[in-house]
């Protein structure tokens, strides 16, 4: 009997398969680059990867897509987003252009506290609908798995509401959402009683864990957010309650946050813009992924290449990138983060692709970001000849076909 494939993509010019994760050193040899291949997908997963003629003749395909010699890669994995929020802050964009800093806008009652007020006032349906539209946009740009943080509710019921909206938004879509409880900032009503808020957050962690509403605990450890000691307390509490841990660290100023990787097991440290190069060895020793968010560096108008990056590379720390989509950085496409990571972080096109796929998946300890039998049927046919065009071309959507969880979400070829 002829085996069946739900989807078969054949006549692939160049396929970048990424055999194993994480990829500590990215090169054409380690990336698993193949020419003239085909990929068969059934029941949501990759079932076979091999020379096009052989795979094409072996399977009867329901949907058969001729890639016509183009580049095929795994679907993109976005390991850092603030997908769920209400409202917008386009007026603050102009304040930023006038020279106001993030902290100054925060002090004027803008910034995150404004989004918190709007998010608290929004119903779960409003949050869900807005998030769903963004997820559809992300999918169309090739994102097939996405991490989503809470952190604009700050109080128990609103944090739970955000996490619930993230789950509801993804229900009918072929995109995997991985939820994170984020201790973002101390709410305005607790600014003069910070320790009370840290205690309250303990109860939020416990409730989120009880409801299984998140995989991760995340803390924004930085000046103007949480201190090193507060962050350590919350991360430990999250782990105690059965969550995995990750952290926003060293984004605005260096106050020693990335040193916490020595005290608590972190799957990823995100941002690292102000991390001293000597801290790279801590990540190398602990197996922590370094996740950068290059488009949010653009949005913050601070585009200085992080000093830690070359040391991370030298020590073989897996590097990931995320979109950091949020009301202060309205860039929902992981594709854009991948492309601009070449310019802003100095990643090679192949490093950028690994950072947005295989290493991004490892950053959130999820399947995906690779094309091998058994991996999720997440695949992109690009309107590109080969991976060298990543970053070289940017600023437009270069995906022609997006397949996620075995479902053809977009197909501009047929
Ligand atoms: Zn963030």
């Amino acid at each position: 009997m002829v085996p069946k494939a739900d989807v078969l993509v054949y006549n692939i010019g160049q396929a970048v398969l990424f055999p194993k994760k994480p990829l500590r050193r990215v090169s054409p040899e380690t990336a698993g680059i193949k020419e003239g291949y085909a990929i068969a997908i059934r029941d949501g997963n990759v079932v076979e990867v091999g020379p096009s003629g052989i795979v094409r003749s072996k399977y009867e395909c329901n949907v058969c897509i001729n890639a016509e010699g183009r580049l095929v890669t795994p679907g993109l994995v976005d390991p850092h987003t603030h997908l769920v929020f209400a409202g917008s802050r386009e007026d603050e964009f102009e304040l930023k252009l006038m020279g106001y800093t993030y902290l100054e806008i925060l002090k004027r009652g803008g910034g995150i506290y404004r989004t918190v007020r709007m998010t608290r006032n929004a119903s779960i349906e409003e949050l869900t609908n807005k998030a769903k539209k963004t997820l559809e946009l992300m999918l169309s740009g090739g994102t097939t798995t996405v991490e989503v943080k809470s952190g604009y509710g700050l109080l128990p019921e609103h944090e739970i509401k955000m996490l619930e909206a993230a789950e509801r938004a993804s229900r009918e879509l072929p995109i995997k959402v991985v939820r994170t409880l984020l201790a973002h900032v101390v709410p305005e009503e607790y600014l003069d009683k910070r320790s009370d808020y840290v205690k309250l957050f303990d109860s939020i962690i416990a409730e989120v864990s009880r409801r299984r509403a998140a995989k991760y605990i995340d803390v924004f450890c930085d000046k103007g957010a949480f201190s090193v000691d507060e962050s350590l307390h919350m991360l430990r509490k999250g782990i105690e309650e059965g969550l995995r841990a990750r952290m926003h660290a060293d984004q605005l100023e260096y106050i020693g946050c990335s040193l916490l990787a020595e005290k608590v097991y972190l799957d990823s440290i995100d941002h690292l813009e102000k991390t001293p190069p000597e801290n790279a060895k801590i990540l190398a020793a602990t197996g922590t992924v370094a996740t950068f968010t290059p488009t949010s560096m653009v949005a913050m108008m601070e585009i200085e290449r992080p000093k830690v990056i070359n040391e991370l590379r030298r020590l073989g720390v897996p590097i990931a990138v995320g979109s950091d989509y949020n009301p202060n950085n309205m860039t929902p496409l992981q594709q854009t983060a991948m492309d601009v990571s070449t310019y802003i972080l100095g990643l090679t096109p192949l490093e950028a692709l690994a950072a947005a796929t295989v290493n991004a998946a490892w950053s959130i300890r999820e399947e995906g970001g690779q094309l091998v039998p058994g991996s999720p049927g997440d695949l992109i046919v690009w309107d590109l000849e080969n991976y060298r065009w990543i970053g070289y071309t940017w600023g437009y959507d270069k995906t022609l076909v997006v397949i996620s969880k075995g479902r053809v979400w977009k197909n501009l070829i047929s």
Side-chain angles (χ1 to χ4, degrees):
M1 210 174 89
V2 183
K4 287 190 168 41
D6 297 326
V7 189
L8 191 128
V9 180
Y10 64 99
N11 215 358
I12 295 169
Q14 183 183 69
V16 185
L17 304 173
F18 291 127
K20 289 284 174 200
K21 60 187 161 187
L23 218 53
R24 298 178 185 282
R25 301 193 196 276
V26 183
S27 70
E29 292 72 38
T30 59
I33 295 173
K34 302 289 180 189
E35 312 278 336
Y37 260 39
I39 295 168
I41 295 170
R42 188 172 58 222
D43 298 332
N45 291 314
V46 173
V47 286
E48 188 152 354
V49 180
S52 195
I54 296 173
V55 177
R56 175 90 175 97
S57 58
K58 183 170 166 186
Y59 287 88
E60 198 174 284
C61 43
N62 196 10
V63 180
C64 318
I65 298 172
N66 183 351
E68 296 166 346
R70 296 186 179 92
L71 171 70
V72 166
T73 72
L76 302 180
V77 176
D78 189 343
H80 186 137
T81 81
H82 303 258
L83 171 82
V84 179
F85 60 86
S88 59
R89 299 189 337 230
E90 66 280 11
D91 51 336
E92 289 174 19
F93 177 53
E94 294 187 40
L95 286 179
K96 286 196 288 177
L97 290 169
M98 286 160 65
Y100 288 82
T101 66
Y102 174 84
L103 291 177
E104 282 165 350
I105 293 171
L106 205 62
K107 279 186 190 136
R108 289 163 62 108
I112 184 168
Y113 291 126
R114 193 163 154 218
T115 298
V116 168
R117 286 191 289 277
M118 292 188 281
T119 303
R120 285 179 183 172
N121 286 331
S123 69
I124 190 162
E125 289 76 21
E126 286 167 330
L127 292 176
T128 302
N129 291 338
K130 184 174 160 74
K132 189 177 176 193
K133 278 190 190 144
T134 312
L135 283 179
E136 287 169 342
L137 196 61
M138 288 173 164
L139 259 169
S140 297
T143 304
T144 53
T145 297
V146 59
E147 186 262 12
V148 175
K149 301 174 196 298
S150 69
Y152 295 120
L154 308 182
L155 298 176
E157 61 172 302
H158 298 293
E159 285 294 291
I160 301 278
K161 178 176 73 175
M162 286 187 71
L163 291 168
E164 174 72 17
E167 192 277 320
R168 288 192 195 181
S170 68
R171 261 180 210 171
E172 288 154 26
L173 299 175
I175 188 167
K176 170 111 192 233
V177 162
V178 177
R179 294 180 293 170
T180 295
L181 171 65
L182 171 63
H184 211 166
V185 287
V186 175
E188 284 175 297
E189 54 270 59
Y190 280 86
L191 280 176
D192 54 358
K193 39 181 181 170
R194 300 179 64 92
S195 59
D196 286 356
Y197 184 66
V198 174
K199 277 194 205 111
L200 178 68
F201 206 83
D202 282 352
S203 71
I204 301 179
I205 294 170
E207 181 61 15
V208 165
S209 166
R210 194 185 67 75
R211 291 172 179 246
R212 297 179 190 276
K215 174 176 180 174
Y216 277 102
I217 173 79
D218 186 347
V219 180
F220 185 13
C221 182
D222 217 311
K223 187 165 184 232
F226 290 100
S227 70
V228 172
D229 287 346
E230 289 165 344
S231 301
L232 179 62
H233 172 87
M234 291 186 281
L235 291 167
R236 281 190 170 147
K237 175 70 180 168
I239 290 170
E240 195 183 299
E241 292 285 348
L243 304 177
R244 299 186 73 91
R246 57 198 306 107
M247 182 170 62
H248 286 61
D250 310 345
Q251 181 190 13
L252 308 171
E253 281 190 26
Y254 180 67
I255 58 167
C257 293
S258 48
L259 296 173
L260 282 177
E262 286 187 309
K263 298 196 168 167
V264 60
Y265 186 78
L266 299 167
D267 285 352
S268 173
I269 297 184
D270 297 25
H271 285 299
L272 298 159
E273 280 133 74
K274 303 285 195 296
T275 305
E278 59 266 28
N279 287 14
K281 64 179 182 299
I282 301 171
L283 280 75
T286 56
T288 304
V289 175
T291 301
F292 292 90
T293 60
T295 52
S296 74
M297 293 167 70
V298 177
M300 297 292 278
M301 301 181 188
E302 285 203 9
I303 350 183
E304 200 185 321
R305 189 166 295 175
K307 291 191 174 57
V308 72
I309 198 131
N310 282 339
E311 199 57 10
L312 293 168
R313 248 208 206 108
R314 194 179 71 77
L315 296 173
V317 173
I319 294 171
V321 299
S323 71
D324 196 9
Y325 172 73
N326 74 66
N328 191 41
N329 175 40
M330 298 286 276
T331 54
L333 298 195
Q334 171 69 337
Q335 189 182 154
T336 309
M338 173 178 76
D339 287 333
V340 303
S341 73
T342 58
Y343 297 94
I344 291 172
L345 305 174
L347 301 188
T348 66
L350 198 55
E351 283 177 326
L353 180 61
T357 55
V358 62
N359 285 355
W362 182 244
S363 167
I364 52 174
R365 300 302 192 266
E366 285 289 322
E367 294 293 308
Q370 57 189 178
L371 287 167
V372 295
S375 66
D378 301 343
L379 172 158
I380 298 169
V381 181
W382 297 87
D383 193 14
L384 301 175
E385 280 178 36
N386 57 55
Y387 71 79
R388 289 208 159 102
W389 290 72
I390 289 170
Y392 174 57
T393 50
W394 68 288
Y396 66 101
D397 180 8
K398 301 181 292 274
T399 63
L400 286 181
V401 177
V402 177
I403 299 166
S404 190
K405 318 305 164 221
R407 191 168 135 193
V408 180
W409 175 260
K410 163 171 138 182
N411 183 0
L412 301 180
I413 291 182
S414 64

